Amino acid sequence: MTEPQIIGISPSIEKIRHLIRRVADVNLTVLITGESGVGKELVARALHYYSSRRDKPFVKVNCAALPGELIESELFGYEKGAFTGADRRKPGKFEAAGEGTIFLDEIGEIPLPMQAKLLQVLQDQKFHRVGGNTEVATSARIIAATNRNLEAEIAVGHFREDLYFRINTISILVPPLRDRKEDLTPLIKYFLKTHQALHNNHPPVIPPSLFELFQAYHWPGNVRELENYLKRLAVLGDPSEIEKELRGLVASNAKPNSAPLSTLTRDIFQEIDLTSVVFDHRTKDFPSLREVREQAVLRVEKAIIEHVLEETRWNRREAARLLKISYRTLLYKLKEMNIRPDDS
Ligand SMILES: Nc1ncnc2c1ncn2[C@@H]1O[C@H](COP(=O)(O)OP(=O)(O)OP(=O)(O)O)[C@@H](O)[C@H]1O
Ligand SMILES: [Mg+2]
């Protein structure tokens, strides 16, 4: 494994680099959260690299890419005859990781029954292969990542709270690129250098007009999106096409209709009345912290969903995309929260 380079000069990236060094060798589970493309996997790799497990395997499992019923055999392997087609024993990812690191990417996508099994394994450090009776011990270090808000997922019953507490012993939040634009310059320099080296040509120049667009853009795809633009630039050499494209994106984003949620939510939040979360109780007792939290999360989620639906004129696919949840999850939430077109 080559040393992962976490580029950036923003205080948040400095802090993350520092935290990685401090917790790399601590045998606690780390949960890395952040939007798509912010560098969660890079952080996971760095944690492995700076640990004494460096020369052991780093095994990544993309939990979102696996259908629910396959996750178990993927993680824990199976014995010969466990199911049709299992003509020999196959070790799973935990066995492959050995004393190394297992990186559970998109952990928020694991179905609930599998979450229970995973929790058991994390607690006991033992598991069974599918269709097997022998216990297999594991000493792999576990790192998990998600771009979902697991606390909100817990509130609507999609994620187990006990598993959350178990994996969230150390949490690293990687902020979106739009909140640390001072990282643009060093990232651009870094990507141009690496990709130009790959293509063996002259380093492309970034005209000030393009750099201004980079500064103005809201980067929904974060560092990955930036890297892709620079890859294209390294190949094309000519920035005019990219400039045109970005200008369009920046302009459409500036329209009030599709302003990023981060700016719009400020107004919504002022309208959410959380006092009733505590005071609307039938009993005289003060509600438990858990009840307060669940109610508060629901109240906030509901307000945001209603707002986004209004903004998108009830285009639910577009709303789901903006909220970064699946279409199915949105439909489920609409039903659960009893949100209908006339309500909002
Ligand atoms: N700070 C950084 N310095 C250098 N490269 C970075 C940085 N952040 C991200 N990258 C690069 O950007 C790309 C996306 O990063 P990564 O795959 O780690 O993101 P992610 O958060 O796991 O995304 P997703 O949620 O979509 O899986 C990778 O090529 C990664 O190397
Ligand atoms: Mg990733």
Side-chain angles (χ1 to χ4, degrees), residues 284-318:
K284 288 255 155 47
D285 290 340
F286 196 85
S288 72
L289 190 57
R290 188 196 175 117
E291 280 172 282
V292 173
R293 185 180 57 217
E294 284 175 3
Q295 283 304 315
V297 170
L298 280 175
R299 206 65 61 92
V300 172
E301 269 203 51
K302 188 168 184 217
I304 292 174
I305 292 173
E306 284 174 347
H307 179 84
V308 172
L309 284 167
E310 257 172 69
E311 285 296 313
T312 58
R313 297 203 179 83
W314 269 81
N315 180 340
R316 281 167 290 196
R317 290 213 181 263
E318 174 66 5

Side-chain angles (χ1 to χ4, degrees), residues 105-121:
D105 201 5
E106 314 278 4
I107 195 163
E109 310 304 312
I110 295 186
L112 279 167
M114 198 53 217
Q115 289 177 21
K117 261 189 194 141
L118 184 61
L119 176 66
Q120 199 69 51
V121 174

Side-chain angles (χ1 to χ4, degrees), residues 36-70:
S36 175
V38 285
K40 297 185 293 296
E41 183 168 343
L42 186 64
V43 169
R45 287 182 185 277
L47 281 165
H48 176 75
Y49 184 87
Y50 295 117
S51 76
S52 51
R53 299 171 189 262
R54 182 191 298 180
D55 299 321
K56 306 269 163 58
F58 175 90
V59 175
K60 171 181 158 176
V61 185
N62 184 350
C63 305
L66 296 164
E69 66 276 14
L70 283 187

Side-chain angles (χ1 to χ4, degrees), residues 3 14 27 34 57 79 108 128 133 138 146 179 202 221 227 248 260 270 280 283 328:
E3 184 172 358
E14 301 267 7
N27 272 332
E79 296 288 350
H128 296 273
N133 297 317
T138 171
T146 181
D179 291 347
H202 292 296
E227 182 175 14
Q270 273 156 10
D280 267 6
T283 59
R328 260 180 52 205

